[in-house]
Amino acid sequence: MKNTTDLEGLGLATRCIHAGELVNDAGAPHTPLYNTTTFAFPSTADLLEVVDGRRPGSLYTRYGSNPTIQSVETKLAAIEGAEAALLFASGMAAECALFIAHGQDGIVCLGDAYGGTLSLLAQSLPKLGRTTAFLSGTNLSELKAHLAAGARLVFFETPSNPNLEVLDIGAIAAIAHAHGALVAVDSTFASPVNQQPLRHNADLVVHSATKYLGGHSDLTAGAVMGSQALLAPLRAWRSDLGQTPAPETCALLARSLRTLVVRIERHNTNAQAIAEHLEGHPRVRQVRYPGLARHPSHAIAKRQMTGFGGMIALEIDGDYADTVRVMDRLTLFARAPSLGGVESLATQPVTTTHRGLDEAERARRRITDSSIRLSVGLENAADLMADLDQALA
Ligand code: PLP
């Protein structure tokens, strides 16, 4: 296998294509799909060599010991600049393992987050004794107080879902580390092409690989990247809870990762052009995009991101009915709750991703009846702008 060290010093696009690929007898340029649940051994002595860890080998797919899965994990680690990566059956499975493994002394969730994550943290994990304090991402004195009281895991999204809040990874990591806490960043909206949180001193990075890493709206997966030591307890939970993705999904993900850089570059340029176009639109009250100089955290975004991604949040100048009318008139943008694929999608957080929040919580998070979240795809930007213009007209 070509591993991370073989590729040290090489560029990101090169690592996306070559990292982790298994050299194989058939001469295939990439890792074959080992679509198998188990692996056979010539003898019991040989089996025990692998079971007892005296030599590496494949054993059972649910444990993650399958060459197709491991090859994609090596690729992901190389792309994110991490020592190791672990794949999961979804982004939520990845977060669940993270919070169970490292959240036992209390979790702090900063700022905005995906509705499913909020539900996991607020509703489900307290039943397992994992409690979360939800704090603003900008009032860092609040964070210090909570860490002083004992919380040992700080989690946040940047840029966040759905409002594209940008939090300062380095500043938060400095505070967390001073209190002996870990920092985990959900970097799904950015992708590793635009942001590598470990370089800004985060300890762990989480991705819904369903989004930009998969990139074609045809696979569901998750990933966590970090040190071997921090991933070890997540690996145990993944195995015990059966959260490992299928080898077919991993092969599809590897296919997608090979084109990650070119895809993200196009997402970035399309979204920047559309955000600038909509900024002056008479029917749009507000455009939130980290690449706009008017974004409240544009300076932080410029410091910690190398591109600003494909996600845009809009406030329509109108009420709920007006916003539904705009949504329903879109023709190229599909009305769907996901993001990160080649095709452009639009969603109202109040009808999908954040529907589970009550009104007060939505108001606190500035998720309004007039909010639309765009996932800008890879179509021609002019066609997408024309679609938005006719829907807004
Ligand atoms: N994190 C973010 C930022 C998301 O937007 C989502 C899903 O939309 C998730 C995590 C959960 O990912 P999945 O749907 O792959 O479980």
Side-chain angles (χ1 to χ4, degrees):
M1 190 188 286
K2 293 175 195 167
N3 58 34
T4 318
T5 40
D6 293 337
L7 297 165
E8 230 162 54
L10 298 182
L12 185 57
T14 309
R15 277 179 277 145
C16 283
I17 293 168
H18 293 284
E21 301 293 347
L22 278 180
V23 177
N24 57 86
D25 291 342
H30 46 247
T31 308
L33 167 53
Y34 286 89
N35 197 11
T36 174
T37 55
T38 189
F39 295 84
F41 295 83
S43 68
T44 302
D46 199 55
L47 175 145
L48 287 174
E49 287 281 299
V50 172
V51 170
D52 293 340
R54 287 191 291 279
R55 76 163 175 86
S58 299
L59 185 64
Y60 191 60
T61 291
R62 178 171 52 79
Y63 302 161
S65 75
N66 173 305
T68 304
I69 300 175
Q70 287 165 329
S71 133
V72 187
E73 289 177 338
T74 304
K75 191 186 282 296
L76 279 172
I79 293 172
E80 190 71 64
E83 186 184 1
L86 274 186
L87 276 165
F88 289 83
S90 67
M92 291 308 297
E95 289 185 8
C96 205
L98 164 72
F99 295 135
I100 292 180
H102 291 297
Q104 65 275 18
D105 298 318
I107 303 161
V108 177
C109 175
L110 299 177
D112 248 2
Y114 165 57
T117 303
L118 296 176
S119 161
L120 173 69
L121 288 169
Q123 315 293 334
S124 301
L125 286 172
K127 295 171 194 157
L128 301 178
R130 270 49 175 180
T131 53
T132 299
F134 296 93
L135 306 181
S136 123
T138 42
N139 180 356
L140 296 181
S141 52
E142 257 185 358
L143 171 63
K144 285 180 195 161
H146 265 81
L147 292 173
R152 285 292 167 270
L153 178 63
V154 179
F155 169 84
F156 56 95
E157 295 180 6
T158 185
S160 70
N161 186 354
N163 276 335
L164 282 301
E165 243 181 39
V166 172
L167 301 188
D168 188 332
I169 302 170
I172 293 167
I175 293 169
H177 292 161
H179 290 82
L182 295 173
V183 172
V185 175
D186 183 333
S187 194
T188 299
F189 268 36
S191 91
V193 177
N194 288 331
Q195 174 176 281
Q196 300 188 338
L198 301 179
R199 295 192 196 289
H200 301 279
N201 294 332
D203 301 288
L204 292 157
V205 182
V206 191
H207 283 274
S208 165
T210 315
K211 317 300 185 200
Y212 289 106
L213 300 182
H216 297 71
S217 308
D218 59 2
L219 69 88
T220 301
V224 184
M225 289 79 139
S227 68
Q228 293 280 10
L230 288 178
L231 292 181
L234 276 77
R235 186 187 295 278
W237 279 110
R238 180 181 72 170
S239 190
D240 289 351
L241 294 175
Q243 297 178 309
T244 312
E248 296 101 314
T249 302
C250 295
L252 204 52
L253 178 58
R255 179 286 317 262
S256 298
L257 291 173
R258 294 180 195 114
T259 60
L260 184 66
V261 171
V262 283
R263 285 190 288 107
I264 296 297
E265 285 171 355
R266 176 67 170 247
H267 284 294
N268 290 346
T269 52
N270 271 3
Q272 182 76 38
I274 289 170
E276 286 172 11
H277 175 71
L278 292 177
E279 212 180 10
H281 200 292
R283 298 282 162 91
V284 177
R285 206 181 301 139
Q286 196 186 18
V287 181
R288 284 189 284 269
Y289 182 68
L292 292 178
R294 259 197 228 160
H295 186 286
S297 305
H298 181 59
I300 300 171
K302 274 204 301 193
R303 216 166 47 235
Q304 71 189 20
M305 301 179 80
T306 51
F308 303 113
M311 300 302 296
I312 301 174
L314 303 180
E315 284 297 313
I316 300 300
D317 192 12
D319 59 14
Y320 178 74
D322 297 325
T323 310
V324 170
R325 254 194 302 281
V326 172
M327 285 292 293
D328 287 351
R329 286 176 62 128
L330 290 166
T331 57
L332 270 179
F333 280 84
R335 284 160 291 279
S338 195
L339 62 113
V342 295
E343 63 287 295
S344 292
L345 305 177
T347 197
Q348 286 173 272
V350 288
T351 64
T352 55
T353 52
H354 293 72
R355 191 164 180 75
L357 302 186
D358 62 34
E359 243 171 73
E361 184 64 11
R362 272 193 225 138
R364 200 173 72 74
R365 293 180 176 278
R366 290 181 300 123
I367 296 164
T368 74
D369 285 349
S370 313
S371 306
I372 292 181
R373 192 193 73 184
L374 300 178
S375 169
V376 177
L378 308 186
E379 301 93 335
N380 290 96
D383 295 335
L384 296 174
M385 285 183 212
D387 190 28
L388 290 162
D389 285 344
Q390 65 77 27
L392 287 162

